[in-house]
Amino acid sequence: MGVKNLWDVLEPCKKTLPLHHLQNKRVCIDLSCWMVQLQNVNKSHCPIKNKLYLMGLFHRIRALIALNCTLIFVTDGSIPAIKLATYRRRLNLGIDVENQATQDGANSQNLSSLRRNMGSEFSCMIKEAKYLGSTFGIPCLDGIEEAEAQCALLNLESLCDGCFSSDSDIFLFGARTVYRDICLGEGGHVVCYEMDDIEQKLRYGRNSLISFALLLGSDYSQGVHGLGVESACQIVKSVGDNHILRKIASEGLNFARKKKNPKRQGQVKCNNTTKTLPCEVNMNGNLQIPQTDNQYLRVVEAFMNPKCHSADSDVVHRSLVQHPFQREKLQLLCARFFEWPPEKTDEYILPKIAERDLRRYVALQSTSSQLDVNFPLKEVPVKCPISAIIKRRKVHGRECFEVVWEEFYGVKSSVVCADLVERACPEKIKEFDDKRALEKKNQRKSRRKKSGKECSVAEIDQKLQDLLLDIELGSKSNPMASREIISDKITTATKISFINRDPPVILDSEGNVDSRAAVLCRETGATVPKPEVIDLLSPSPLVPSRNVSRCAQMNARHINIIDLSDSETEKSPEHARKARELRLFLASIRD
């Protein structure tokens, strides 16, 4: 639970940060808090035997590993003696807990810490979570008492960059950066609270937060009955962070009672006992706790000096060492709990392992540049995990690349954010862009060739029609030239008609159908047209032109036979030139 309503007090300092804010960071995780969150999700969706809470933990670990976020699991140890009264109250209220507290009639100060019931259902869930973490190479630090106190100590000693915990009293133990919650949907985000923001925006230091535990209530104290959040904030701000604990040491909580109800004077009841708080304050302003039954000062002492592994202990040093990823054990665990085949497990986790190594490669390059150590590309001690870039992608509005990994990762390709690839291997992006540009260039050339062919056919058809139109118009003024041109044109038209499978009708000197035309009709299956006698020497009236080929008619490209006049005496040089052009043009078509 932590301190009652403390999250509401700290709400102005709440920040929602994108998930990639955690990249390349080391964070401690209060494993009990995570499992409580995941257990609540499990209960709301399916029975606990389905291990949905463990699958949720798997996906959280998978997402953080891809960011090269180093994780340390921290678990609870024994129950502090000062917390036993809280557990007794919860038991009396019918709240199920995992511990058993004996010595109900004894005072909490006379009790020692109580060992947890390791056979409870929740303890078994913690064991499964620790085993899952070990397959990913995540170390686990078993705390002496409170896990959040151990996390806070590591954060306070700068051995980690932040702590994951939903217990607000982690600030009272000295934590500086706390991540209250994590969400993996829509790109993912974390809810973060910084002690620097609390000190600057709210003017609350660690002493003030401890006083909130005494005023509002916590796992270690009941607080002042009837005192609300606003009143507590006014009391703490009026006294100040530097003096609040001294005032509590000298006066107890009487001053808070006076501010709450000035008409009622007297002592304040806390934890069902009424006490006047004797204590001494040394010259440095530190609290000197006398060896008397003083509940308030015992609460302060529990927060200021919790029982934890010291920062320089061997246990802590071992927890800071990351272990190798155990692929086979993870496959067996997923097959046992989730009924996944090994291929599905690899599909989920191997791309994330590759992405983690890519971020480590980028971090190595960044460190080398800061130290002014520049290796040639071929002499880099760690090889870039990316083999090639396939294409650009966009995921949740972010620019990404689909990349091919090196063979030793056991995965072919996956999608990686573009900024990471740019920092890791800009030469791969340049190679990809050059390849794309060359492909586009070749595509444009091929399109130009196709369009050029289409244009040439259209130009041929247009030019042919223009020439025939000129000749037809010129035949009225110079019939001799028209006859010469048409004679050449008929020969060519015969070949064109053969290609179009519609043989022309050609008359011999006796007016009979040419035998070659009949042969062509038999070969192509066309019908022999009805004989029509054309007298080339007699003038004829203007008649509509007819098509030579059915196929040409279908393609809207036809050649018209131009009527001839009976005059052969005149021959214009202009028409002779056009006739030569037409012959050359038709010859080029035949070729």
Side-chain angles (χ1 to χ4, degrees), residues 1-3 6-7 10 28-30 33 147-153 155-156 162-180 193 195 206 209 303:
M1 182 187 80
V3 180
L6 183 58
W7 289 123
L10 304 180
C28 294
I29 297 172
D30 184 349
C33 291
E148 61 266 31
Q150 188 68 63
C151 291
L153 176 65
N155 188 211
L156 187 62
C163 312
F164 271 100
S165 179
S166 57
D167 287 340
S168 57
D169 57 0
I170 191 171
F171 288 108
L172 283 63
F173 290 115
R176 303 297 300 177
T177 302
V178 177
Y179 302 103
R180 184 183 179 186
Y193 296 82
M195 193 64 191
R206 185 177 178 185
L209 299 182
F303 285 122

Side-chain angles (χ1 to χ4, degrees), residues 461 464-465 468 489 545-549 552-553 555-560:
D461 184 61
L464 182 59
Q465 292 182 7
L468 294 177
K489 188 171 177 301
S545 59
R546 66 182 180 86
N547 293 335
V548 177
S549 169
Q553 183 181 7
N555 294 328
R557 292 196 291 267
H558 54 273
I559 302 175
N560 297 328

